[in-house]
């Protein structure tokens, strides 16, 4: 009777201490959980250096980026709306962020004219080759976040429906607020 109790106790202790380790190992190996990533956008690895198309006289700030296509579709309009709304929603922190639309000679001229009339978005004019060099084959049909050192670090896909774009803007705002909170630069 005493031996069976001792065996049961040893087996129970072994299970209590070994089973969690085995389950943790299985969870890590099989990707059963989110690995503590709190960002909502897609993290670009490696980051993209956009120093080549930046204005050297501009002070270093975080940037919300969008590359204006040749024809501004519904996705484009939603992206422009999202960039403006996120920048506005930053409130007192908006002076640390620059909403930037990158335009090329092929970009939609009517949208460029409309953006020139507003003061919320900075229009960065460059050529197609420079944009291609910066994004290195990455799709540019997205909204990006760049840090104060001109590294493009996060990408957010475009949304066709305006309601989805608004919900997606909340994700961008959430990530940008976290970055601003953790950053002492810009």
């Amino acid at each position: 009777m005493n031996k069976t109790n001792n065996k049961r106790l040893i087996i129970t202790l072994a299970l209590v201490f070994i089973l969690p380790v085995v389950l943790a190992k299985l969870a890590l190996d099989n990707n059963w959980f989110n690995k503590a990533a709190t960002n909502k956008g897609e993290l670009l690895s490696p980051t993209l250096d956009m120093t080549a198309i930046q204005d050297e006289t501009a002070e270093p700030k975080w940037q919300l980026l969008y590359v204006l296509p040749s024809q501004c579709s519904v996705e484009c309009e939603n992206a422009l709306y999202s960039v403006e709304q996120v920048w506005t929603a930053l409130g007192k922190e908006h002076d640390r962020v620059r909403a930037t639309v990158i335009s090329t000679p092929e970009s939609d001229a009517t949208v460029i004219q409309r953006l020139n009339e507003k003061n919320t978005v900075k229009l960065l004019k460059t050529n197609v080759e420079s944009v291609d060099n910066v994004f290195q084959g990455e799709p540019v049909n997205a909204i990006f976040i760049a840090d104060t050192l001109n590294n493009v670090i996060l990408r957010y896909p475009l949304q066709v429906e305006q309601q989805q774009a608004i919900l997606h803007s909340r994700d961008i705002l959430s990530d940008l607020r976290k970055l601003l909170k953790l950053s002492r630069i810009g």
Side-chain angles (χ1 to χ4, degrees):
M1 181 82 165
N2 198 14
K3 274 192 169 185
T4 58
N5 282 343
N6 284 343
K7 283 184 182 178
R8 221 178 278 160
L9 181 64
I10 290 172
I11 291 172
T12 304
L13 283 174
L15 282 175
V16 166
F17 289 107
I18 294 174
L19 188 62
V21 173
V22 171
L23 288 176
K25 176 69 173 153
L26 284 172
L28 283 173
D29 290 345
N30 295 317
N31 294 322
W32 289 346
F33 71 98
N34 190 356
K35 296 182 180 176
T38 59
N39 56 300
K40 310 277 193 303
E42 178 188 346
L43 190 62
L44 298 177
S45 181
T47 60
L48 307 173
D49 182 20
M50 62 175 278
T51 307
I53 62 172
Q54 275 298 67
D55 181 11
E56 293 85 25
T57 60
E59 66 177 293
K61 289 187 175 188
W62 287 88
Q63 293 184 73
L64 275 169
L65 297 171
Y66 178 64
V67 180
L68 193 62
S70 57
Q71 293 294 324
C72 196
S73 64
V74 175
E75 289 177 333
C76 167
E77 291 294 338
N78 287 339
L80 292 170
Y81 180 76
S82 291
V83 167
E84 278 187 63
Q85 292 303 306
V86 168
W87 184 79
T88 304
L90 285 170
K92 68 178 183 174
E93 297 288 335
H94 82 275
D95 62 331
R96 296 177 61 195
V97 178
R98 183 181 308 118
T100 305
V101 173
I102 301 171
S103 69
T104 63
E106 288 81 25
S107 294
D108 195 331
T110 56
V111 176
I112 292 173
Q113 182 181 3
R114 191 175 72 214
L115 291 173
N116 278 329
E117 294 170 3
K118 296 182 179 182
N119 285 337
T120 56
V121 176
K122 179 184 188 250
L123 200 58
L124 182 63
K125 296 177 182 178
T126 187
N127 56 34
V128 177
E129 294 81 25
S130 296
V131 172
D132 290 343
N133 287 340
V134 167
F135 289 96
Q136 303 167 358
E138 291 284 333
V140 294
N141 58 340
I143 297 172
F144 299 92
I145 291 180
D147 65 11
T148 57
L149 301 173
N150 297 323
N151 295 312
V152 181
I153 56 174
L154 287 169
R155 174 182 34 223
Y156 301 87
L158 299 181
Q159 304 297 318
V160 176
E161 295 184 28
Q162 187 171 21
Q163 192 62 33
Q164 284 299 106
I166 291 169
L167 293 173
H168 203 63
S169 296
R170 292 179 185 168
D171 293 341
I172 298 170
L173 180 61
S174 169
D175 283 351
L176 197 51
R177 281 192 171 144
K178 283 179 202 164
L179 289 168
L180 290 172
K181 182 179 177 183
L182 297 172
S183 170
R184 295 180 184 199
I185 305 171

